[in-house]
Amino acid sequence: DVKVTQSSRYLVKRTGEKVFLECVQDMDHENMFWYRQDPGLGLRLIYFSYDVKMKEKGDIPEGYSVSREKKERFSLILESASTNQTSMYLCATRRNTEAFFGQGTRLTVV
Amino acid sequence: DQQVKQNSPSLSVQEGRISILNCDYTNSMFDYFLWYKKYPAEGPTFLISISSIKDKNEDGRFTVFLNKSAKHLSLHIVPSQPGDSAVYFCAASEGSGATNKLIFGTGTLLAVQP
């Protein structure tokens, strides 16, 4: 079974803080993705990576950056957290088209 | 511009009846479609998929139908069970490779009443 693990289930951060969301996968997949889920908007792709040190912008990259130093780890960085980044963040890896998700991180920015 | 749309934000059905969840898409290049199920405070889990060369795919109680001319797909759950209560997302992709972007719909909250 593919396992995708996100470091935190719940986070509360202050406006302006730098926030790191960590994701680790154990299946040696090359592709990793970060989505956010908001009511009425579904899952929207923030960033993705096809290989170590590679990154590509998704549909809503503004205010975010990513880091992929090792194949199994993909980090999402909020450079300066804002209240409109309060959301559920989901990391995923892919085998062909099927995506495997982590359990999600509920981030609240106050 | 929402390329994958689920126009019903919520659906309520009685246990034992059929649940039908609908999804429309606008991009005619999409040729692979998936359904995911999501419980609160958990990540989405894969449910069933269909490629554009088929019009139906069945897996136990779950059947997905694809109407390419109408750019419409639907998920049928028969019989519905209370444990099926969750948010269901449809997703679409151009091609089946892992490098192809998966575009998700907005989700439909299914409530199955005992």
Side-chain angles (χ1 to χ4, degrees):
Chain A
D1 270 356
V2 176
K3 189 155 187 188
V4 181
T5 304
Q6 294 181 230
S7 53
S8 304
R9 294 293 295 267
Y10 300 95
L11 275 179
V12 180
K13 296 291 181 181
R14 295 193 180 278
T15 301
E17 274 192 80
K18 191 168 186 175
V19 181
F20 293 84
L21 302 183
E22 307 286 347
C23 176
V24 177
Q25 53 109 353
D26 67 356
M27 282 302 290
D28 203 35
H29 289 169
E30 292 179 347
N31 308 296
M32 297 187 76
F33 304 79
W34 275 105
Y35 290 87
R36 64 179 278 179
Q37 182 202 353
D38 300 288
L41 297 176
L43 276 66
R44 293 181 292 165
L45 181 63
I46 306 171
Y47 263 97
F48 56 104
S49 170
Y50 294 147
D51 204 349
V52 175
K53 298 198 185 293
M54 268 201 57
K55 58 184 178 184
E56 296 280 346
K57 291 180 180 179
D59 299 318
I60 51 163
E62 296 78 18
Y64 303 94
S65 63
V66 290
S67 173
R68 184 108 182 258
E69 296 296 320
K70 293 185 177 182
K71 192 174 187 179
E72 67 270 18
R73 187 178 296 270
F74 192 33
S75 303
L76 180 69
I77 303 158
L78 285 68
E79 297 291 343
S80 177
S82 63
T83 54
N84 63 12
Q85 292 178 310
T86 291
S87 186
M88 168 72 89
Y89 289 88
L90 293 158
C91 174
T93 183
R94 295 267 293 273
R95 179 178 61 209
N96 299 320
T97 302
E98 187 175 341
F100 301 89
F101 286 86
Q103 77 277 28
T105 297
R106 171 71 65 183
L107 172 68
T108 302
V109 182
V110 298
Chain B
D1 183 30
Q2 195 77 25
Q3 295 186 69
V4 180
K5 300 177 185 179
Q6 294 175 255
N7 291 318
S8 298
S10 63
L11 175 68
S12 182
V13 299
Q14 288 294 122
E15 182 177 4
R17 298 287 187 101
I18 184 171
S19 295
I20 300 176
L21 296 97
N22 294 304
C23 180
D24 297 293
Y25 60 96
T26 57
N27 186 347
S28 57
M29 298 300 293
F30 287 149
D31 58 1
Y32 205 81
F33 305 89
L34 305 90
W35 284 94
Y36 280 81
K37 176 179 177 179
K38 186 181 183 299
Y39 293 118
E42 292 184 16
T45 54
F46 170 74
L47 200 54
I48 193 169
S49 64
I50 189 168
S51 77
S52 59
I53 61 172
K54 293 185 173 183
D55 54 18
K56 177 182 172 180
N57 189 26
E58 196 170 349
D59 184 2
R61 296 185 298 114
F62 303 91
T63 303
V64 56
F65 294 92
L66 176 62
N67 182 334
K68 290 186 288 294
S69 60
K71 295 193 183 69
H72 176 83
L73 66 153
S74 60
L75 174 69
H76 293 212
I77 306 173
V78 183
S80 302
Q81 299 173 354
D84 296 329
S85 298
V87 177
Y88 289 79
F89 292 98
C90 65
S93 172
E94 293 181 40
S96 60
T99 57
N100 302 108
K101 281 170 63 173
L102 263 182
I103 308 297
F104 284 85
T106 51
T108 296
L109 174 62
L110 173 66
V112 180
Q113 310 295 336

